[in-house]
Amino acid sequence: MVDLVVERGTIATPHGSFEGAIAIDHGKIVAIGSSTVMPQAKRSVDASGLFVLPGIIDGHCHFREPGFEYKEDLHTGSTSAAFGGVTTIFDMPNVNPPTQDAQSFNLKLEKAKQKCLVDFGIYGVVLPTNIDKIGELAKSGAIGFKIFMAETVGNLPSPDDWELVLAFEAIAKTGLRVGVHAENRAMINHLVDQFKKAGRTDALAHLESRPAISEAEAITRAVTLTRPFGTKLHIFHLSSAEGVAIVREAKEAGLPVTAETCPHYLLLDGKTEMQKQGTILKINPPVRTHEHGEALWRGLKSGVVDMIATDHSPQTKEEKAHSNIWEEIAGWPGVETLVPLMLNEVNKGTITLNEVAKYMSENPARVWGVYPTKGCLTVGSDGDLTIVDLKIKREIRAEDLHSKNKPPTPFEGWAVRGAPVYTIVGGRVVMEKGQLNEKSGRGKLVTPTAEKTKQ
């Protein structure tokens, strides 16, 4: 007798698809095969006509707790994740207090244990003042580190160039990966000042003040810092063709560099949408033009870009209602729309369901050192499943999302085909056919394994 059997579904992995069943007991996958040979279960899920994916991982979320719970908190954010078919999230450290040492890490950890419906990883931040705390953050269980090379929500200071050297050296010793928000702050500040003096307050001024060269320069600087120490480097929310080219060169040189992009960079033309939607589309880095999106798709297909994440960064409706672009706060909710948007691309033929499993399950797990515990469907792996129906048609509406303040999304009104119907975390059915199971339990901390951090 096992806890759960999912039977008669089409199991879709990065390496192929097949009809079959999966048995889960005590949070782990214990059998995969024909539905006719599965053990008896306390509960069975009939996945006939559905597709069973390895649990989707969103490696880039801002759930805002502690300190900014008025925007989002760990419960509302993880509720959105569950409704969106996301079984594991990695949460960003620009909160209050910032996740900068063991004490602040444990503060967030205790809150997440109480509130988070899905499994979670926690990033540690690197500031000019906490480079000596990098080791204790690693020992506390950080999934990796985040460095903001440009402005942040929360106004955290960026390390200067020598502090970056010291940080990359210290992080290399932990075996963990450091991810960077790669934009050149000085370039951006110069252009913002210039546009303000010229009286520019329109939405397009944001895009024009953060040109692709500012991302390219910052990525180049970060790649340079990996060389002397072998520090594993990740580029968060890659947005430009220039950035794709630099990451490609780094990989061809054998450097341990990975990258992610986001649905908005793949699916939206920033110039067109900013003229249409206005300041709502403000995010950092900005959504660029169609040509950059095409380069990012090619980067995914060729393996240069490793994954798709969301940069889920909800604000309040009031914070997203300014006509002056400089008063607008960057970001919007994304964790709940990730899977539907990408399933829609599957139905359009842009990508395959197997590639979804690669970009949003296996690769995030590999990059952040939690594979094969996460990111795959093998005996012994966590019983995380995202079960989807490719036929369901829906329209994306902010009011239907489960982020705390239901702030606007740039995908408002998009008709999409394909949706998650079960979100299963460690064998717990957290979401079933649009209904949340609060009593299923809470998620657990995800940490890199010792073997993976050495690679």
Side-chain angles (χ1 to χ4, degrees), residues 22 51 172 217 276 284 295 317 319 366 402 404 431:
I22 298 173
F51 294 85
E217 188 282 332
K276 178 181 174 182
N284 302 326
K317 290 181 180 179
E319 288 171 331
R366 288 186 181 278
H402 294 83
K404 177 173 280 189
M431 187 278 290

Side-chain angles (χ1 to χ4, degrees), residues 100-101 125-127 130-140 142 145 147 163 166-174 176:
Q100 60 187 334
D101 53 24
V125 71
V126 177
L127 305 170
N130 80 324
I131 295 172
D132 61 334
K133 304 295 184 183
I134 286 171
E136 71 178 55
L137 279 164
K139 290 177 182 177
S140 296
F145 295 92
I147 295 178
E163 289 163 344
L166 298 176
F168 271 62
E169 181 179 22
I171 291 168
K173 293 176 182 177
T174 71
L176 298 181

Side-chain angles (χ1 to χ4, degrees), residues 234-254:
H234 184 68
I235 310 302
F236 286 118
H237 44 48
L238 186 65
S239 70
S240 68
E242 290 85 342
V244 172
I246 296 166
V247 172
R248 179 183 294 108
E249 291 171 1
K251 287 190 170 188
E252 289 173 349

Side-chain angles (χ1 to χ4, degrees), residues 199-219:
R200 293 280 302 275
T201 61
D202 58 289
L204 275 176
H206 176 68
L207 172 58
E208 294 170 17
S209 70
R210 305 177 94 96
I213 192 173
S214 71
E215 179 175 79
E217 188 282 332
I219 294 173

Side-chain angles (χ1 to χ4, degrees), residues 6 14 49 91 95 112 129 181 221 242 309 347 351 359 368 443 453:
V6 175
D91 197 45
V95 288
T129 53
H181 177 137
R221 192 159 24 115
E242 290 85 342
N347 277 309
I351 54 175
Y359 303 147
W368 295 108
T453 57

Side-chain angles (χ1 to χ4, degrees), residues 9-13 16-22 32-33 50-52 354 377:
T10 300
I11 297 170
T13 77
S17 302
F18 57 94
E19 300 294 322
I22 298 173
I32 303 173
L50 305 177
F51 294 85
V52 183
N354 307 104
L377 300 177

Side-chain angles (χ1 to χ4, degrees), residues 31 55 121 190 249 305 316:
H190 177 90
E249 291 171 1
V305 181
T316 66

